[in-house]
Amino acid sequence: MHTTSASLLERLREGRDAEAWAQFIRIYSPILYAWARKVGLRHDDAVDLTQDVFAVLVQKLPEFRYDTQQRFRGWLWTVTKHKWLERRRRPDLPLDAESRVEDARAPAATPPEFEEAEFRDHLIRSVVPSLRGNFHDTTWQAFWRQVVDGRPANEVAVELGLSLATVYKAKLRVLAHLHAELGDLFAD
């Protein structure tokens, strides 16, 4: 999961796809915010920095060319680090004594780790549910109970009154859709 969804980046590049932007923001806001906090910014400053980075991305992503040999998050970190340094140099920032960007640690050359398990959990809990409307309720329930709740397929089959094969098919159908929508974000 050290890559990003090339199809999502392509949708952002192609134009003003509001759904793609909403999905991108749901996926990457927690990473940007976590990075801002890990360099020592307080909550309000971390939120501001996250918004500043998204403002840059609105301008840069339409011309961005994704190289699958490079890490998108590395480039995203570079943008974040530059915005942090820019904010730090601004004398007009309205900061109080308890929330000083100047007191934050200088960002490292490489991004702070956003744990892969934490990222996967964020995707499953925050992004995946937005795709629920694409499936029949029983299909979704079979998928969710197996993958997210970690329940055995045979128990899910009994609970939902489905055959074991139907439960496995539901899981595969939703995972295939997730792979198509979120690309390699869910690759093992």
Side-chain angles (χ1 to χ4, degrees):
M1 276 188 27
H2 293 284
T3 57
T4 195
S5 172
S7 62
L8 177 59
L9 291 176
E10 187 59 30
R11 287 173 53 206
L12 295 174
R13 242 179 40 72
E14 289 175 353
R16 303 230 180 256
D17 184 338
E19 185 179 315
W21 275 106
Q23 185 175 347
F24 184 81
I25 289 167
R26 276 192 309 272
I27 292 169
Y28 289 100
S29 289
I31 294 172
L32 296 173
Y33 178 81
W35 288 346
R37 295 291 288 174
K38 285 183 180 184
V39 296
L41 295 181
R42 297 180 189 274
H43 169 74
D44 291 342
D45 292 322
V47 169
D48 288 345
L49 180 63
T50 299
Q51 291 173 351
D52 289 349
V53 171
F54 278 118
V56 170
L57 296 177
V58 166
Q59 295 173 339
K60 298 287 184 187
L61 281 176
E63 60 198 45
F64 181 78
R65 299 286 186 252
Y66 182 53
D67 178 357
T68 58
Q69 302 304 311
Q70 302 291 321
R71 291 189 63 193
F72 175 74
R73 284 189 245 169
W75 178 77
L76 192 59
W77 170 246
T78 301
V79 172
T80 304
K81 182 172 67 171
H82 286 288
K83 287 310 291 182
W84 181 87
L85 291 169
E86 181 182 300
R87 285 179 59 82
R88 189 172 170 191
R89 288 190 289 264
R90 285 182 44 203
D92 62 329
L93 280 178
L95 300 172
D96 60 27
E98 292 183 14
S99 181
R100 297 180 48 86
V101 172
E102 290 84 0
D103 292 339
R105 294 180 295 280
T110 59
E113 284 304 313
F114 187 83
E115 297 299 324
E116 292 305 316
E118 185 180 357
F119 185 57
R120 183 179 290 264
D121 185 60
H122 159 68
L123 288 174
I124 289 172
R125 300 283 178 193
S126 302
V127 179
V128 171
S130 69
L131 303 173
R132 182 179 186 162
N134 296 323
F135 303 96
H136 186 276
D137 189 55
T138 305
T139 301
W140 185 262
Q141 288 297 323
F143 158 76
W144 193 266
R145 290 178 189 188
Q146 284 182 91
V147 175
V148 179
D149 295 340
R151 307 277 307 286
N154 59 342
E155 285 181 19
V156 173
V158 170
E159 287 175 9
L160 297 175
L162 302 171
S163 71
L164 189 57
T166 301
V167 170
Y168 283 126
K169 285 180 188 177
K171 176 182 173 182
L172 292 173
R173 185 175 296 129
V174 175
L175 288 175
H177 185 78
L178 290 176
H179 181 71
E181 285 292 317
L182 300 175
D184 48 8
L185 286 171
F186 277 100
D188 290 322

